[in-house]
Amino acid sequence: MEFDDDRREEAIEKANERWNSIHSHYEREKIKYDDWLELFDRAIKNCKTPIIDLGCGSGNDTLYLIERGKKVIPCDYSKNAIENIKNNFPEIERAECFDMTKGLPFEDNLTDIIISDLSLHYFTEQKTFEILDEIKRVLKPNGLLFFRVNSINDVNYGAREGKEIESHLYETADGRYKRFFDEKDIATFFANWEKLYIHEEKLGRYGAEKVLWRGALMVKK
C-alpha cells in the first residue's frame, strides 16, 4: 500500500514539530544512556571509521561512543536536536540534519558502523526499505548496522493504538506514523542482511516498561 504525498508530508511535519518540542534544550551533563551497545563493544572498539548515529536525538549514543574514543557523525531530522548536539559536543566535527525518507547525505562505502536507535519505526513499508537500502549504500562491505525498533508488544508506548494504515503501522491521534515489529516483520524487512544478533527485550529507561527489538546486522554486498 502506498500513500499520497500530501498525507506523507503532513505526517512528517507533525513528527518534526513533536521532535523539535522534545529536543528544545538538553545539557550534556543530563544526557544518560543505557547499556544496549555494550554487546557490540568489540566491533565498536575495532571501528576505524566515523560511526554514524542515525536519529541521534539528545545524543545518548553519541555520548556513549565519544566516551569510548570514537569519532561520531550524529544525525537527526530535528533541527533543535542537532543544535543541542553541536552545543553539547564541541568535539564533533560533523553533524547532519536531514529527512531519512529523502536519502542519506553520505558518499558510498563511508563507514563500517551505523547505529539506528529507535529511529527506523516511523515509516511506510516502501520508505523503510528505501532507508535500509540507503544504509547499505553508505556502509562498507561487511559493514554493521546496530539497531533498536519498537516491538508489537510495546503496549505502554502505542502498540495497536490508532488507525492501522499498513500492517503494524499506525497513525496516531495527532497524525504521525508509528510502526511496531513482530518476528515476521523483522524477517521481512531485514531479509537481505546477515543477521548476527536479533532479540526482543525490555527497557526500563523511560519509566514504564518498553518492549523492543535489538539487532546487529551485516550488509551483504
Side-chain angles (χ1 to χ4, degrees), residues 103-128:
L104 307 187
F106 302 109
E107 58 266 34
D108 296 354
N109 303 316
L110 174 68
T111 183
D112 289 307
I113 295 178
I114 292 178
I115 290 169
S116 183
D117 188 11
L118 303 177
S119 62
L120 287 176
H121 48 222
Y122 298 105
F123 312 105
T124 64
E125 179 178 309
Q126 178 179 328
K127 286 298 176 182
T128 303

PDB file of all heavy atoms in Angstrom, residues 103-128:
ATOM      1  N   GLY A 103      16.763  10.188   1.517  1.00  0.00           N
ATOM      2  CA  GLY A 103      18.121   9.698   1.320  1.00  0.00           C
ATOM      3  C   GLY A 103      19.076  10.165   2.403  1.00  0.00           C
ATOM      4  O   GLY A 103      18.762  11.066   3.191  1.00  0.00           O
ATOM      5  N   LEU A 104      20.240   9.533   2.450  1.00  0.00           N
ATOM      6  CA  LEU A 104      21.275   9.885   3.421  1.00  0.00           C
ATOM      7  C   LEU A 104      22.354  10.713   2.729  1.00  0.00           C
ATOM      8  O   LEU A 104      22.820  10.333   1.647  1.00  0.00           O
ATOM      9  CB  LEU A 104      21.897   8.629   4.023  1.00  0.00           C
ATOM     10  CG  LEU A 104      20.943   7.593   4.646  1.00  0.00           C
ATOM     11  CD1 LEU A 104      21.747   6.508   5.351  1.00  0.00           C
ATOM     12  CD2 LEU A 104      19.953   8.226   5.597  1.00  0.00           C
ATOM     13  N   PRO A 105      22.788  11.829   3.329  1.00  0.00           N
ATOM     14  CA  PRO A 105      23.735  12.739   2.677  1.00  0.00           C
ATOM     15  C   PRO A 105      25.187  12.289   2.828  1.00  0.00           C
ATOM     16  O   PRO A 105      26.050  13.064   3.234  1.00  0.00           O
ATOM     17  CB  PRO A 105      23.472  14.057   3.408  1.00  0.00           C
ATOM     18  CG  PRO A 105      23.128  13.635   4.800  1.00  0.00           C
ATOM     19  CD  PRO A 105      22.341  12.358   4.642  1.00  0.00           C
ATOM     20  N   PHE A 106      25.442  11.048   2.475  1.00  0.00           N
ATOM     21  CA  PHE A 106      26.778  10.484   2.632  1.00  0.00           C
ATOM     22  C   PHE A 106      27.190   9.755   1.355  1.00  0.00           C
ATOM     23  O   PHE A 106      26.345   9.218   0.636  1.00  0.00           O
ATOM     24  CB  PHE A 106      26.827   9.498   3.807  1.00  0.00           C
ATOM     25  CG  PHE A 106      26.431  10.102   5.125  1.00  0.00           C
ATOM     26  CD1 PHE A 106      25.229   9.762   5.726  1.00  0.00           C
ATOM     27  CD2 PHE A 106      27.249  11.025   5.753  1.00  0.00           C
ATOM     28  CE1 PHE A 106      24.845  10.311   6.939  1.00  0.00           C
ATOM     29  CE2 PHE A 106      26.887  11.593   6.966  1.00  0.00           C
ATOM     30  CZ  PHE A 106      25.689  11.234   7.554  1.00  0.00           C
ATOM     31  N   GLU A 107      28.485   9.721   1.130  1.00  0.00           N
ATOM     32  CA  GLU A 107      29.009   9.010  -0.023  1.00  0.00           C
ATOM     33  C   GLU A 107      28.932   7.498   0.188  1.00  0.00           C
ATOM     34  O   GLU A 107      28.755   7.011   1.314  1.00  0.00           O
ATOM     35  CB  GLU A 107      30.460   9.429  -0.304  1.00  0.00           C
ATOM     36  CG  GLU A 107      31.419   9.197   0.843  1.00  0.00           C
ATOM     37  CD  GLU A 107      31.593  10.411   1.743  1.00  0.00           C
ATOM     38  OE1 GLU A 107      30.615  11.163   1.937  1.00  0.00           O
ATOM     39  OE2 GLU A 107      32.708  10.581   2.295  1.00  0.00           O
ATOM     40  N   ASP A 108      29.074   6.754  -0.888  1.00  0.00           N
ATOM     41  CA  ASP A 108      29.062   5.296  -0.816  1.00  0.00           C
ATOM     42  C   ASP A 108      30.222   4.799   0.041  1.00  0.00           C
ATOM     43  O   ASP A 108      31.316   5.382   0.047  1.00  0.00           O
ATOM     44  CB  ASP A 108      29.202   4.685  -2.216  1.00  0.00           C
ATOM     45  CG  ASP A 108      28.034   5.014  -3.125  1.00  0.00           C
ATOM     46  OD1 ASP A 108      27.056   5.621  -2.660  1.00  0.00           O
ATOM     47  OD2 ASP A 108      28.115   4.663  -4.322  1.00  0.00           O
ATOM     48  N   ASN A 109      29.986   3.696   0.768  1.00  0.00           N
ATOM     49  CA  ASN A 109      31.047   2.988   1.493  1.00  0.00           C
ATOM     50  C   ASN A 109      31.809   3.913   2.450  1.00  0.00           C
ATOM     51  O   ASN A 109      33.032   3.843   2.563  1.00  0.00           O
ATOM     52  CB  ASN A 109      32.029   2.351   0.507  1.00  0.00           C
ATOM     53  CG  ASN A 109      31.342   1.407  -0.462  1.00  0.00           C
ATOM     54  OD1 ASN A 109      30.489   0.594  -0.069  1.00  0.00           O
ATOM     55  ND2 ASN A 109      31.669   1.511  -1.736  1.00  0.00           N
ATOM     56  N   LEU A 110      31.068   4.738   3.174  1.00  0.00           N
ATOM     57  CA  LEU A 110      31.712   5.706   4.065  1.00  0.00           C
ATOM     58  C   LEU A 110      32.184   5.107   5.373  1.00  0.00           C
ATOM     59  O   LEU A 110      33.242   5.455   5.884  1.00  0.00           O
ATOM     60  CB  LEU A 110      30.740   6.861   4.354  1.00  0.00           C
ATOM     61  CG  LEU A 110      31.209   7.898   5.377  1.00  0.00           C
ATOM     62  CD1 LEU A 110      32.382   8.694   4.827  1.00  0.00           C
ATOM     63  CD2 LEU A 110      30.070   8.816   5.782  1.00  0.00           C
ATOM     64  N   THR A 111      31.378   4.199   5.938  1.00  0.00           N
ATOM     65  CA  THR A 111      31.622   3.789   7.312  1.00  0.00           C
ATOM     66  C   THR A 111      31.467   2.284   7.504  1.00  0.00           C
ATOM     67  O   THR A 111      30.818   1.605   6.709  1.00  0.00           O
ATOM     68  CB  THR A 111      30.672   4.529   8.270  1.00  0.00           C
ATOM     69  OG1 THR A 111      30.973   4.168   9.625  1.00  0.00           O
ATOM     70  CG2 THR A 111      29.217   4.187   7.985  1.00  0.00           C
ATOM     71  N   ASP A 112      32.036   1.798   8.590  1.00  0.00           N
ATOM     72  CA  ASP A 112      31.900   0.385   8.961  1.00  0.00           C
ATOM     73  C   ASP A 112      30.711   0.145   9.880  1.00  0.00           C
ATOM     74  O   ASP A 112      30.271  -0.992  10.023  1.00  0.00           O
ATOM     75  CB  ASP A 112      33.176  -0.106   9.646  1.00  0.00           C
ATOM     76  CG  ASP A 112      34.335  -0.231   8.686  1.00  0.00           C
ATOM     77  OD1 ASP A 112      34.179  -0.903   7.657  1.00  0.00           O
ATOM     78  OD2 ASP A 112      35.401   0.357   8.949  1.00  0.00           O
ATOM     79  N   ILE A 113      30.222   1.205  10.546  1.00  0.00           N
ATOM     80  CA  ILE A 113      29.128   1.029  11.507  1.00  0.00           C
ATOM     81  C   ILE A 113      28.135   2.182  11.406  1.00  0.00           C
ATOM     82  O   ILE A 113      28.518   3.353  11.391  1.00  0.00           O
ATOM     83  CB  ILE A 113      29.661   0.949  12.957  1.00  0.00           C
ATOM     84  CG1 ILE A 113      30.525  -0.303  13.164  1.00  0.00           C
ATOM     85  CG2 ILE A 113      28.500   0.947  13.957  1.00  0.00           C
ATOM     86  CD1 ILE A 113      31.131  -0.414  14.558  1.00  0.00           C
ATOM     87  N   ILE A 114      26.854   1.822  11.349  1.00  0.00           N
ATOM     88  CA  ILE A 114      25.766   2.775  11.512  1.00  0.00           C
ATOM     89  C   ILE A 114      24.900   2.304  12.673  1.00  0.00           C
ATOM     90  O   ILE A 114      24.599   1.117  12.793  1.00  0.00           O
ATOM     91  CB  ILE A 114      24.919   2.900  10.232  1.00  0.00           C
ATOM     92  CG1 ILE A 114      25.741   3.562   9.117  1.00  0.00           C
ATOM     93  CG2 ILE A 114      23.646   3.698  10.497  1.00  0.00           C
ATOM     94  CD1 ILE A 114      25.008   3.688   7.788  1.00  0.00           C
ATOM     95  N   ILE A 115      24.533   3.236  13.528  1.00  0.00           N
ATOM     96  CA  ILE A 115      23.644   2.957  14.652  1.00  0.00           C
ATOM     97  C   ILE A 115      22.309   3.635  14.391  1.00  0.00           C
ATOM     98  O   ILE A 115      22.267   4.809  14.008  1.00  0.00           O
ATOM     99  CB  ILE A 115      24.258   3.474  15.965  1.00  0.00           C
ATOM    100  CG1 ILE A 115      25.472   2.629  16.357  1.00  0.00           C
ATOM    101  CG2 ILE A 115      23.224   3.461  17.096  1.00  0.00           C
ATOM    102  CD1 ILE A 115      26.276   3.219  17.488  1.00  0.00           C
ATOM    103  N   SER A 116      21.232   2.900  14.592  1.00  0.00           N
ATOM    104  CA  SER A 116      19.892   3.477  14.470  1.00  0.00           C
ATOM    105  C   SER A 116      19.085   3.038  15.683  1.00  0.00           C
ATOM    106  O   SER A 116      18.543   1.933  15.719  1.00  0.00           O
ATOM    107  CB  SER A 116      19.220   3.025  13.172  1.00  0.00           C
ATOM    108  OG  SER A 116      17.966   3.645  13.029  1.00  0.00           O
ATOM    109  N   ASP A 117      19.038   3.897  16.669  1.00  0.00           N
ATOM    110  CA  ASP A 117      18.421   3.568  17.955  1.00  0.00           C
ATOM    111  C   ASP A 117      17.024   4.176  18.025  1.00  0.00           C
ATOM    112  O   ASP A 117      16.862   5.376  18.240  1.00  0.00           O
ATOM    113  CB  ASP A 117      19.303   4.107  19.091  1.00  0.00           C
ATOM    114  CG  ASP A 117      18.839   3.639  20.464  1.00  0.00           C
ATOM    115  OD1 ASP A 117      17.972   2.749  20.522  1.00  0.00           O
ATOM    116  OD2 ASP A 117      19.363   4.166  21.470  1.00  0.00           O
ATOM    117  N   LEU A 118      16.006   3.337  17.812  1.00  0.00           N
ATOM    118  CA  LEU A 118      14.606   3.754  17.878  1.00  0.00           C
ATOM    119  C   LEU A 118      14.287   4.849  16.859  1.00  0.00           C
ATOM    120  O   LEU A 118      13.528   5.778  17.143  1.00  0.00           O
ATOM    121  CB  LEU A 118      14.252   4.213  19.302  1.00  0.00           C
ATOM    122  CG  LEU A 118      14.501   3.184  20.409  1.00  0.00           C
ATOM    123  CD1 LEU A 118      14.191   3.778  21.775  1.00  0.00           C
ATOM    124  CD2 LEU A 118      13.675   1.925  20.186  1.00  0.00           C
ATOM    125  N   SER A 119      14.857   4.727  15.667  1.00  0.00           N
ATOM    126  CA  SER A 119      14.609   5.746  14.637  1.00  0.00           C
ATOM    127  C   SER A 119      14.170   5.158  13.297  1.00  0.00           C
ATOM    128  O   SER A 119      13.968   5.911  12.346  1.00  0.00           O
ATOM    129  CB  SER A 119      15.869   6.596  14.424  1.00  0.00           C
ATOM    130  OG  SER A 119      16.954   5.817  13.960  1.00  0.00           O
ATOM    131  N   LEU A 120      13.965   3.840  13.214  1.00  0.00           N
ATOM    132  CA  LEU A 120      13.568   3.207  11.959  1.00  0.00           C
ATOM    133  C   LEU A 120      12.100   2.794  11.936  1.00  0.00           C
ATOM    134  O   LEU A 120      11.673   2.123  10.998  1.00  0.00           O
ATOM    135  CB  LEU A 120      14.432   1.975  11.686  1.00  0.00           C
ATOM    136  CG  LEU A 120      15.878   2.223  11.249  1.00  0.00           C
ATOM    137  CD1 LEU A 120      16.623   0.897  11.125  1.00  0.00           C
ATOM    138  CD2 LEU A 120      15.926   2.983   9.927  1.00  0.00           C
ATOM    139  N   HIS A 121      11.335   3.187  12.940  1.00  0.00           N
ATOM    140  CA  HIS A 121       9.968   2.665  13.030  1.00  0.00           C
ATOM    141  C   HIS A 121       8.893   3.747  12.857  1.00  0.00           C
ATOM    142  O   HIS A 121       7.843   3.685  13.482  1.00  0.00           O
ATOM    143  CB  HIS A 121       9.763   1.913  14.351  1.00  0.00           C
ATOM    144  CG  HIS A 121      10.248   2.631  15.566  1.00  0.00           C
ATOM    145  ND1 HIS A 121      10.929   1.987  16.580  1.00  0.00           N
ATOM    146  CD2 HIS A 121      10.174   3.931  15.932  1.00  0.00           C
ATOM    147  CE1 HIS A 121      11.227   2.858  17.521  1.00  0.00           C
ATOM    148  NE2 HIS A 121      10.769   4.050  17.155  1.00  0.00           N
ATOM    149  N   TYR A 122       9.152   4.674  11.956  1.00  0.00           N
ATOM    150  CA  TYR A 122       8.196   5.765  11.723  1.00  0.00           C
ATOM    151  C   TYR A 122       7.730   5.862  10.266  1.00  0.00           C
ATOM    152  O   TYR A 122       7.140   6.875   9.891  1.00  0.00           O
ATOM    153  CB  TYR A 122       8.820   7.103  12.125  1.00  0.00           C
ATOM    154  CG  TYR A 122       9.167   7.172  13.588  1.00  0.00           C
ATOM    155  CD1 TYR A 122      10.483   7.076  14.016  1.00  0.00           C
ATOM    156  CD2 TYR A 122       8.173   7.326  14.554  1.00  0.00           C
ATOM    157  CE1 TYR A 122      10.802   7.129  15.364  1.00  0.00           C
ATOM    158  CE2 TYR A 122       8.482   7.379  15.900  1.00  0.00           C
ATOM    159  CZ  TYR A 122       9.812   7.283  16.301  1.00  0.00           C
ATOM    160  OH  TYR A 122      10.120   7.338  17.640  1.00  0.00           O
ATOM    161  N   PHE A 123       7.939   4.823   9.490  1.00  0.00           N
ATOM    162  CA  PHE A 123       7.790   4.967   8.045  1.00  0.00           C
ATOM    163  C   PHE A 123       6.933   3.860   7.432  1.00  0.00           C
ATOM    164  O   PHE A 123       6.796   2.774   7.991  1.00  0.00           O
ATOM    165  CB  PHE A 123       9.173   4.962   7.382  1.00  0.00           C
ATOM    166  CG  PHE A 123      10.161   5.874   8.057  1.00  0.00           C
ATOM    167  CD1 PHE A 123      11.164   5.365   8.869  1.00  0.00           C
ATOM    168  CD2 PHE A 123      10.062   7.253   7.902  1.00  0.00           C
ATOM    169  CE1 PHE A 123      12.070   6.207   9.507  1.00  0.00           C
ATOM    170  CE2 PHE A 123      10.958   8.107   8.529  1.00  0.00           C
ATOM    171  CZ  PHE A 123      11.959   7.585   9.341  1.00  0.00           C
ATOM    172  N   THR A 124       6.406   4.144   6.235  1.00  0.00           N
ATOM    173  CA  THR A 124       5.695   3.122   5.483  1.00  0.00           C
ATOM    174  C   THR A 124       6.665   2.010   5.088  1.00  0.00           C
ATOM    175  O   THR A 124       7.895   2.174   5.160  1.00  0.00           O
ATOM    176  CB  THR A 124       5.072   3.708   4.214  1.00  0.00           C
ATOM    177  OG1 THR A 124       6.119   4.177   3.354  1.00  0.00           O
ATOM    178  CG2 THR A 124       4.125   4.845   4.526  1.00  0.00           C
ATOM    179  N   GLU A 125       6.107   0.902   4.653  1.00  0.00           N
ATOM    180  CA  GLU A 125       6.941  -0.228   4.240  1.00  0.00           C
ATOM    181  C   GLU A 125       7.913   0.177   3.132  1.00  0.00           C
ATOM    182  O   GLU A 125       9.112  -0.120   3.207  1.00  0.00           O
ATOM    183  CB  GLU A 125       6.050  -1.374   3.769  1.00  0.00           C
ATOM    184  CG  GLU A 125       6.829  -2.592   3.284  1.00  0.00           C
ATOM    185  CD  GLU A 125       5.919  -3.728   2.880  1.00  0.00           C
ATOM    186  OE1 GLU A 125       5.035  -4.086   3.682  1.00  0.00           O
ATOM    187  OE2 GLU A 125       6.079  -4.244   1.754  1.00  0.00           O
ATOM    188  N   GLN A 126       7.403   0.866   2.113  1.00  0.00           N
ATOM    189  CA  GLN A 126       8.261   1.259   1.000  1.00  0.00           C
ATOM    190  C   GLN A 126       9.395   2.161   1.467  1.00  0.00           C
ATOM    191  O   GLN A 126      10.554   1.959   1.083  1.00  0.00           O
ATOM    192  CB  GLN A 126       7.448   1.975  -0.076  1.00  0.00           C
ATOM    193  CG  GLN A 126       8.297   2.453  -1.257  1.00  0.00           C
ATOM    194  CD  GLN A 126       7.490   3.138  -2.332  1.00  0.00           C
ATOM    195  OE1 GLN A 126       6.330   2.795  -2.555  1.00  0.00           O
ATOM    196  NE2 GLN A 126       8.082   4.107  -3.009  1.00  0.00           N
ATOM    197  N   LYS A 127       9.062   3.152   2.285  1.00  0.00           N
ATOM    198  CA  LYS A 127      10.091   4.081   2.753  1.00  0.00           C
ATOM    199  C   LYS A 127      11.086   3.380   3.665  1.00  0.00           C
ATOM    200  O   LYS A 127      12.280   3.689   3.646  1.00  0.00           O
ATOM    201  CB  LYS A 127       9.447   5.268   3.466  1.00  0.00           C
ATOM    202  CG  LYS A 127       8.779   6.252   2.517  1.00  0.00           C
ATOM    203  CD  LYS A 127       9.799   6.871   1.560  1.00  0.00           C
ATOM    204  CE  LYS A 127       9.157   7.781   0.556  1.00  0.00           C
ATOM    205  NZ  LYS A 127      10.143   8.342  -0.416  1.00  0.00           N
ATOM    206  N   THR A 128      10.629   2.433   4.469  1.00  0.00           N
ATOM    207  CA  THR A 128      11.547   1.699   5.338  1.00  0.00           C
ATOM    208  C   THR A 128      12.567   0.925   4.511  1.00  0.00           C
ATOM    209  O   THR A 128      13.775   0.949   4.799  1.00  0.00           O
ATOM    210  CB  THR A 128      10.774   0.736   6.259  1.00  0.00           C
ATOM    211  OG1 THR A 128       9.823   1.478   7.030  1.00  0.00           O
ATOM    212  CG2 THR A 128      11.725   0.013   7.210  1.00  0.00           C
TER     213      THR A 128
END
